[in-house]
Every structure is written in structure tokens, then in C-alpha cells.
Amino acid sequence: MTPDPAVPTGGAPRSAPATGVKTRTIRIAHGDQWLTACRESALIPGRGVAVLLPDGDQAAVFTDRAGRVYAIGNRDPFTGAYVLSRGLLGSVGGRPFVASPLLKQRFDLATGACLDDEAATVPVFAVRVD
């Protein structure tokens, strides 16, 4: 049996894009500009995408299962590694977070606050979907 490319392994069927339908773009605020981060189709719920910013810094962009998009700094303040885009999403008390893949500290996606250490934060970027 040949696998159906419209059905990802272990998931629900995904729709093929309709001809002529414009793909939406994720933009993040950086300084006084809106920068193109990626196409919405590049985001998989629960996983992140790393974005290189013009000043050499990085952002981590996520979408949750409800379709909300978040962008935070990609640098883990505990290790200095640019890895938060590889973390896993979750929520506690209705607050969405990403857990660092290294030491597992959780960062609130809306505020950037570390849920495990009040002294640590990561930057948060405003997001818009065009």
C-alpha cells in the first residue's frame, strides 16, 4: 500500500492548499519595523521555528493548537544557547509556555517570564498574521 501524502503519519488528514489561495505570513515587531518571520504553513502546532533578526539576535516563533501565534527570544538565559525554538509547548493554569529543551525551565509565551525562576525572562515580540 502506498502512503497517502495528504495524511501525515499519526495525524489527521491535512487539506491541500486551494489554487489561488494566498498563504498568510507571520510578521514580528522588531524595533519600529514588522519583519517577515515565516509563512503560516511553516508552523506546526506545538513546535517552533527559529528566526534570525537583522541585528543578529534570534526569535522563536510558535503556534499552539488553537492557532494562536507567539514570538519570544530564542536564547535560553540559563545556558546561553539559542534553543527555545526546539522546546515543547504546554500550558499551566491556562498560561501557554515553552519548556527549554536543555534544562527544562518553562517560559510564558505571552510575557516571557520564567515560570520556574522569577529572576529570568526572555524578550517577547508582538506578532501579526497577514
Side-chain angles (χ1 to χ4, degrees):
M1 175 185 236
T2 306
D4 181 352
V7 181
T9 305
R14 73 178 155 221
S15 325
T19 306
V21 172
K22 182 180 175 186
T23 303
R24 297 184 338 159
T25 302
I26 306 299
R27 299 189 195 286
I28 61 174
H30 186 257
D32 60 354
Q33 302 176 35
W34 284 96
L35 305 173
T36 299
C38 62
R39 296 208 179 272
E40 186 177 38
S41 61
L43 296 176
I44 298 170
R47 297 201 179 163
V49 171
V51 177
L52 182 61
L53 302 172
D55 61 3
D57 205 0
Q58 294 181 22
V61 180
F62 302 93
T63 186
D64 64 13
R65 298 199 190 288
R68 292 178 297 253
V69 181
Y70 303 92
I72 62 172
N74 195 31
R75 184 177 176 276
D76 180 335
F78 292 95
T79 64
Y82 289 86
V83 296
L84 293 182
S85 63
R86 295 180 180 218
L88 297 175
L89 295 190
S91 67
V92 61
R95 296 170 63 182
F97 68 81
V98 62
S100 172
L102 297 178
L103 301 176
K104 311 302 185 239
Q105 282 90 358
R106 299 166 301 155
F107 296 92
D108 187 307
L109 291 174
T111 67
C114 180
L115 303 178
D116 304 299
D117 183 338
E118 293 177 2
T121 62
V122 293
V124 175
F125 300 92
V127 177
R128 78 178 195 211
V129 182
D130 294 332

